[in-house]
Amino acid sequence: MDGLAALDKAVGVVNRALGDGRGGGPRPPRAGKPKWVSFSAAATATAPPAPARGPAVEGRGLDDYLALPVSAYSLLDPSWVTPAGEGGEEDDAFIVALPLADALGVALTPSARVRVADRSRGVVAFSGSDFTLGDVTLDAAFEAGVDARLRSVQPPRRHRRHRGGGNDAHHPHLAATVTLRARVRLQGAAAAVPGPVLKLAAKLVARAALGAALPAFLGMLQADAAAWCAGEARAWVG
């Protein structure tokens, strides 16, 4: 389900809950008791292998790229990703902001401070905090945490013998899984909607946002990894 389809479904879920039960229009809004609604959503994406950019420099494979501090990543779009600071642990932390206006038609820019929680060969685990939606009123009623796992995906064994053949699918590439856990405080007419309905709608919207943003972010990272492995200059380094 793509982002717009998920949003349409979420709107439909809420509209049905507000309906009069006989197929008519929405009921007049009625205030409900303020309540917190908790939900989670996850998205997984795999970047298509970047086009070959010449032979890799010795010691610069994809796993070596993932071993770099995140301050050494160059994502070509600093409006999305900016360093959290300089030096020490801040070299492994950054701020991610995801403008949703173009992708989903929503005038919000969620952001989070992301740091490396764990790192092993070919795998980096991230943890996100200080999550905001980009609206003062919404931020006061919203809490969230984010976990992500970035890993290199090796080609099938039968393909590894043919790396020199120029088929990009035979090269390692990146994949990621992101999980969002959140809760939102609702009041007024929205609080009158049954909790399970609100939970489903919130989950669909969150899944739409993650599904729209993750492939684009992963594509930028894959392109940067390919340039670094080939020893090429990159446009921007945080």
Side-chain angles (χ1 to χ4, degrees), residues 56-87:
V57 176
E58 184 177 356
R60 287 200 173 196
L62 190 57
D63 287 353
D64 300 301
Y65 176 82
L66 292 179
L68 296 171
V70 295
S71 60
Y73 295 169
S74 170
L75 297 182
L76 307 181
D77 191 348
S79 64
W80 277 46
V81 183
T82 55
E86 295 183 0

Side-chain angles (χ1 to χ4, degrees), residues 138-226:
L138 292 176
D139 289 339
F142 186 80
E143 299 174 358
V146 180
D147 292 314
R149 185 172 181 266
L150 179 66
R151 67 190 188 280
S152 63
V153 178
Q154 298 296 324
R157 186 175 298 275
R158 65 182 179 276
H159 288 162
R160 297 180 192 177
R161 297 189 300 269
H162 307 294
R163 283 189 174 183
N167 188 333
D168 298 327
H170 299 167
H171 294 270
H173 49 284
L174 294 172
T177 299
V178 177
T179 302
L180 169 72
R181 294 175 305 281
R183 68 176 194 150
V184 59
R185 186 176 186 271
L186 299 174
Q187 55 188 349
V193 178
V197 174
L198 289 171
K199 184 174 182 177
L200 175 59
K203 181 175 183 176
L204 289 170
V205 172
R207 185 186 297 168
L210 291 175
L214 185 57
F217 176 79
L218 201 57
M220 290 191 295
L221 200 61
Q222 179 73 57
D224 182 56

Side-chain angles (χ1 to χ4, degrees), residues 101-146:
D102 291 338
L104 300 177
V106 179
L108 294 174
T109 302
S111 67
R113 185 183 186 277
V114 180
R115 64 175 181 83
V116 173
D118 190 27
R119 180 182 270 121
S120 58
R121 184 68 176 172
V123 179
V124 185
F126 298 94
S127 178
S129 60
D130 301 333
F131 195 98
T132 65
L133 292 171
D135 179 276
V136 174
T137 302
L138 292 176
D139 289 339
F142 186 80
E143 299 174 358
V146 180

